[in-house]
Amino acid sequence: MTETHYRTCPLCEATCGLEISVTDGKVVRIRGDRDDVFSRGFICPKGSTLKQLHEDPDRLRTPQRRTATGHIDVSWDDAFRDIDARLRAIIDEHGPNAVGVYLGNPNVHTLAGPFWIAPILRALGSRNIFSASTVDQVPRNVSSGLMFGDPYAVLIPDLDRTSYLLMLGANPYESNGSLATAPDWPGRMRAISERGGRVVVVDPRRTRSAAAADEHLFVRPGTDALLLCALANVIVADGLVDLGGAAHHLAGLDEALAAVASCTPERAAAASGIDAETIRRIAHELASADSACVYGRVGVHTVAGGTVASWATDLLNVITGNLDRPGGAMWGLAPHARPRPAAGGGRGYRIGRWTSRVSGRSEVTGELPTAVLAEEIETEGAGQIRALITIAGNPVLTTPHSERLDAALAGLEYMVSVDLYLNETTRHADVVLPVPSQLEKSHYDAVFFNQSVRQVAKWTPPVFATEQPSETDVLARLTLLLRGKGPDADPAIIGDELLDAVLAHAVDDPHSNVFGRDALELRTDVDGDTAEDRLVDAQIRTGRWGDGFGADPDGLRLTMLAGNPHGIDLGALEPRLPANLRTPSAKVELAPPEILDAMPALLDDIERRTVLAEGELLLVGRRDVRSNNSWMHNIDVLVRGRARCTLLMHAIDASSRGIAAGDTVIVRSRVGALETPVELTDDLMPGVVSLPHGWGHAVAGTRLGVAAGRPGVNSNVLTDGDVLDPISGNATLNGIPVTVVAL
Ligand SMILES: Nc1nc2c(c(=O)[nH]1)N[C@H]1C(S)=C(S)[C@@H](COP(=O)(O)OP(=O)(O)OC[C@H]3O[C@@H](n4cnc5c(=O)[nH]c(N)nc54)[C@H](O)[C@@H]3O)O[C@H]1N2
Ligand SMILES: Nc1nc2c(c(=O)[nH]1)N[C@H]1C(S)=C(S)[C@@H](COP(=O)(O)OP(=O)(O)OC[C@H]3O[C@@H](n4cnc5c(=O)[nH]c(N)nc54)[C@H](O)[C@@H]3O)O[C@H]1N2
Ligand code: SF4
Ligand SMILES: [Mo]
């Protein structure tokens, strides 16, 4: 008997629907769900590997405790007792800052991450909180926070309606998109050109995305901030500013435009390698398109000018009249988002509420830059990190100057990890707490529905039941022991608290569809088999399309989503000005001093960095559609075939160094060195080399049988933890000066 299950793929931001066939308790086939309202059958090579992931014998199913001879199975009770005793002793003696937390990327792909981590952080009360955000998109959060009052109000390209997409530092043909959820990005990009629009890609490499675009411009790594400011400069100088319908909602326009006055196309051309005439032409095309959108991602954010680039991206969207209009840059709206007052306005957003102890880096969004985690562990004194909790992260492979972090983790007094694998990071943990596989939990995209190019609601149930505790229960038990409730407290306490808080807010909120109702009464009507599903139900029902617990019988609720496993399409993006603004002025703040004050020095610095020492090249990263940061290399079907961890190099740069295709070379940066095979290509800008991240699995003490056989090298041995975006604290992962010599 074959049963068919529908399940959203949780591996990347694209949220593809999967059709999963199960016979006798085993997955026999996974393919794209052709009836999915959003993905329409699209799937990438990773989607079908949820089977292999689920069946992977190396995937942890039992808590692990580290011993002198390696990790061993222990019971859940022993694991939590160990954590309770050791972690609490450190906190009692040294205070909460002695415990650091690192949160990895998959937390945004689960229901545990968005809701069950906040209670842990509150119970702990440490300022030493770190996450993958500061090796990724935090500049986008900072500029959005300062401009719109909400760090999560990130503008996304209205892909399906735009006539012109200017895309910088993103390669959705491999990554399937980021901060713009859209299954089948490639198809949606092609559709722009097919309907007479234009796609222009700016990237130091002619990626598959660049090759498929109408135009590709090579750019010198790290210079996009200057390029984007120059595009704005041309629009001002040539009298092309058009604010469109957003005109009444703007503050600080004159200061913002003054800030780009020095960024002439000639200045940007000298730094970026894109000639001034082309910069002028692109500016004119942007300004004259029926609708247009500027979109930048990892390549423009993981550099020192990341926040300026993110600000300039949105400034361009504003001054071309594309803010909040169909086909332009718009905001998404998740079904569970709470309604906001129509007039907008709020408390605004601040950065730098505290600083890191050793090098004084600013707090952003409640976190410190992950690049300073190692020094905070190494440096003795009050406030030193002595213990670490990692949840769904592998910073030993994913964060800068990673050899230093690896050594620092080895010196911790205590470490706990919540993870699926014993990998390069979790091998340092005294206790590893496993979580169920992706097929053993329900799914609702609490994060990605907020930044999706269509308004969509979808909840999918688990494919398999499990004996293991749920991830939310694991996190709840950590919270409770941090609260001093001991290792055996009932995890349901946390789920109930979260649910009560949602309902209490909703009934207190005059804009809510349950305003004035009795929260306790609503609670008796909440559906869902698990704490996370009940929370989803309460949030959806009190959201924009919700049933308001009976107020609108046709409205959304969990049972309705359960009956629609292909999802419910709620339509194209809708304009949301000014309701979506949370700035105290209820305006878009175009000239945040935190950005503009730092800008002149930053732009000078970008120019200075284009001058390289003799023989130096600039290293950039890359993604392959078969990878997922560091953690899916243990799946044989994904790593089989040609080696993917190679250094790409232009033939000109290779021949001048006497390097031939397939040679092994030594790549050296200020902080580290590695050996890797070379692949020659014409698709790179000369002077640039490219190495993917997330490899480097030849490490003792892990349990990754397949990955260890095709280990590759860790590119973050080369990235420099001392060079950060000074505004957001984001790490510099692209444009790293390196030398390359034949072995
Ligand atoms: N040089 C360079 N470095 C980079 C980047 C780059 O472009 N270049 N990209 C950066 C970016 S954008 C990011 S987001 C970071 C990612 O950095 P990390 O988040 O630190 O790394 P991942 O490889 O995503 O590790 C995810 C971990 O979560 C575990 N895991 C998977 N699913 C679950 C789950 O459901 N629950 C739990 N508890 N654990 C789970 C995996 O086993 C793995 O250990 O890497 C960054 N590093
Ligand atoms: N297959 C796969 N998919 C993934 C992931 C994965 O590891 N593998 N990771 C997921 C995660 S966590 C994220 S955040 C997203 C990221 O998704 P994307 O942002 O699309 O990331 P990349 O594919 O790394 O594309 C970054 C591009 O920036 C270019 N670049 C480098 N430096 C510069 C520069 O200075 N300027 C410009 N203009 N370009 C530059 C690189 O050549 C590269 O083509 O992908 C997600 N999806
Ligand atoms: S693009 Fe691939 S990894 Fe991303 S959601 Fe779709 S199937 Fe999963
Ligand atoms: Mo990321």
Side-chain angles (χ1 to χ4, degrees), residues 606-660:
I606 288 173
E607 286 172 317
R608 236 189 333 271
R609 282 176 200 284
T610 61
V611 182
L612 296 178
E614 177 68 29
E616 264 181 349
L617 300 161
L618 291 175
L619 176 73
V620 299
R622 73 175 186 270
R623 284 176 162 77
D624 181 288
V625 72
R626 291 175 174 271
S627 73
N628 199 16
N629 295 314
S630 74
W631 70 277
M632 290 187 66
H633 297 145
N634 210 49
I635 295 183
D636 183 55
V637 291
L638 291 177
V639 294
R640 211 183 276 164
R642 82 183 157 79
R644 288 180 174 79
C645 186
T646 59
L647 186 78
L648 289 183
M649 193 173 201
H650 196 283
I652 295 175
D653 294 319
S655 67
S656 64
R657 288 168 179 75
I659 295 168

Side-chain angles (χ1 to χ4, degrees), residues 275-300:
D275 63 79
E277 266 331 291
T278 303
I279 296 174
R280 288 202 170 84
R281 173 174 57 83
I282 300 286
H284 280 253
E285 287 176 8
L286 267 178
S288 63
D290 290 341
S291 63
C293 186
V294 185
Y295 164 76
R297 258 322 262 131
V298 159
V300 300

Side-chain angles (χ1 to χ4, degrees), residues 283-467:
H284 280 253
E285 287 176 8
L286 267 178
S288 63
D290 290 341
S291 63
C293 186
V294 185
Y295 164 76
R297 258 322 262 131
V298 159
V300 300
H301 296 143
T302 55
V303 293
T307 306
V308 172
S310 179
W311 166 83
T313 298
D314 288 341
L315 179 66
L316 279 168
N317 287 321
V318 168
I319 64 176
T320 54
N322 284 299
L323 173 65
D324 197 42
R325 84 156 171 194
M330 302 188 77
W331 286 291
L333 184 63
H336 66 282
R338 209 176 305 137
R340 290 189 184 176
R347 272 188 305 177
Y349 171 70
R350 285 170 54 211
I351 56 176
R353 292 173 297 173
W354 59 87
T355 52
S356 71
R357 179 179 63 105
V358 178
S359 54
R361 299 286 186 175
S362 286
E363 164 272 345
V364 287
T365 318
E367 299 178 12
L368 294 170
T370 288
V372 308
L373 174 56
E375 70 186 21
E376 291 294 334
I377 297 172
E378 290 162 358
T379 312
E380 287 175 16
Q384 179 184 9
I385 297 178
R386 295 163 185 275
L388 185 69
I389 303 173
T390 72
I391 305 174
N394 192 4
V396 166
L397 294 190
T398 59
T399 70
H401 200 167
S402 48
E403 277 177 332
R404 181 177 177 186
L405 181 65
D406 192 32
L409 296 188
L412 284 166
E413 284 174 33
Y414 194 67
M415 180 168 156
V416 182
S417 293
V418 182
D419 207 286
L420 294 169
Y421 285 105
L422 198 58
N423 62 20
E424 299 74 15
T425 296
T426 61
R427 76 196 162 106
H428 292 296
D430 293 274
V431 173
V432 186
L433 301 172
V435 298
S437 91
Q438 274 66 9
L439 295 181
E440 293 168 334
K441 43 193 169 191
S442 63
H443 193 79
Y444 171 84
D445 275 294
V447 172
F448 300 112
F449 287 143
N450 283 302
Q451 54 201 43
S452 162
V453 304
R454 281 191 79 79
Q455 303 179 134
V456 174
K458 185 161 59 139
W459 172 87
T460 48
V463 175
F464 297 120
T466 173
E467 302 284 293

Side-chain angles (χ1 to χ4, degrees), residues 404-736:
R404 181 177 177 186
L405 181 65
D406 192 32
L409 296 188
L412 284 166
E413 284 174 33
Y414 194 67
M415 180 168 156
V416 182
S417 293
V418 182
D419 207 286
L420 294 169
Y421 285 105
L422 198 58
N423 62 20
E424 299 74 15
T425 296
T426 61
R427 76 196 162 106
H428 292 296
D430 293 274
V431 173
V432 186
L433 301 172
V435 298
S437 91
Q438 274 66 9
L439 295 181
E440 293 168 334
K441 43 193 169 191
S442 63
H443 193 79
Y444 171 84
D445 275 294
V447 172
F448 300 112
F449 287 143
N450 283 302
Q451 54 201 43
S452 162
V453 304
R454 281 191 79 79
Q455 303 179 134
V456 174
K458 185 161 59 139
W459 172 87
T460 48
V463 175
F464 297 120
T466 173
E467 302 284 293
Q468 275 176 240
S470 67
E471 182 151 14
T472 57
D473 278 358
V474 171
L475 299 185
R477 285 181 76 176
L478 283 177
T479 302
L480 291 162
L481 68 79
L482 288 166
R483 284 186 190 172
K485 305 288 181 205
D488 308 312
D490 179 3
I493 295 169
I494 304 297
D496 288 344
E497 284 179 9
L498 291 168
L499 184 62
D500 285 338
V502 165
L503 294 173
H505 275 118
V507 298
D508 274 353
D509 180 351
H511 305 281
S512 156
N513 57 10
V514 292
F515 178 55
R517 305 261 301 265
D518 178 3
L520 284 178
E521 193 194 307
L522 301 185
R523 200 180 198 285
T524 61
D525 191 27
V526 173
D527 290 310
D529 293 340
T530 61
E532 53 272 33
D533 291 344
R534 283 191 287 279
L535 194 67
V536 169
D537 188 45
Q539 292 196 320
I540 290 178
R541 297 175 79 175
T542 55
R544 151 94 157 72
W545 295 274
D547 85 335
F549 286 86
D552 171 8
D554 297 328
L556 293 184
R557 55 188 295 179
L558 188 74
T559 51
M560 184 192 254
L561 295 187
N564 287 274
H566 311 294
I568 297 176
D569 182 50
L570 301 165
L573 301 179
E574 297 165 88
R576 300 187 61 208
L577 273 176
N580 208 39
L581 299 176
R582 284 196 172 175
T583 48
S585 60
K587 303 269 186 216
V588 175
E589 292 292 349
L590 289 173
E594 295 85 343
I595 297 175
L596 295 204
D597 292 351
M599 219 170 111
L602 253 167
L603 295 177
D604 289 348
D605 195 46
I606 288 173
E607 286 172 317
R608 236 189 333 271
R609 282 176 200 284
T610 61
V611 182
L612 296 178
E614 177 68 29
E616 264 181 349
L617 300 161
L618 291 175
L619 176 73
V620 299
R622 73 175 186 270
R623 284 176 162 77
D624 181 288
V625 72
R626 291 175 174 271
S627 73
N628 199 16
N629 295 314
S630 74
W631 70 277
M632 290 187 66
H633 297 145
N634 210 49
I635 295 183
D636 183 55
V637 291
L638 291 177
V639 294
R640 211 183 276 164
R642 82 183 157 79
R644 288 180 174 79
C645 186
T646 59
L647 186 78
L648 289 183
M649 193 173 201
H650 196 283
I652 295 175
D653 294 319
S655 67
S656 64
R657 288 168 179 75
I659 295 168
D663 281 0
T664 296
V665 292
I666 304 173
V667 188
R668 192 169 272 117
S669 74
R670 189 185 76 85
V671 300
L674 53 76
E675 288 175 20
T676 175
V678 161
E679 221 179 304
L680 299 188
T681 175
D682 294 337
D683 290 336
L684 267 179
M685 191 175 185
V688 176
V689 286
S690 160
L691 192 64
H693 74 285
W695 296 86
H697 304 294
V699 165
T702 63
R703 205 174 295 159
L704 295 167
V706 174
R710 317 205 81 195
V713 288
N714 177 3
S715 68
N716 281 312
V717 160
L718 302 169
T719 50
D720 191 336
D722 289 356
V723 187
L724 304 189
D725 172 11
I727 306 172
S728 70
N730 207 32
T732 300
L733 304 174
N734 281 292
I736 312 297

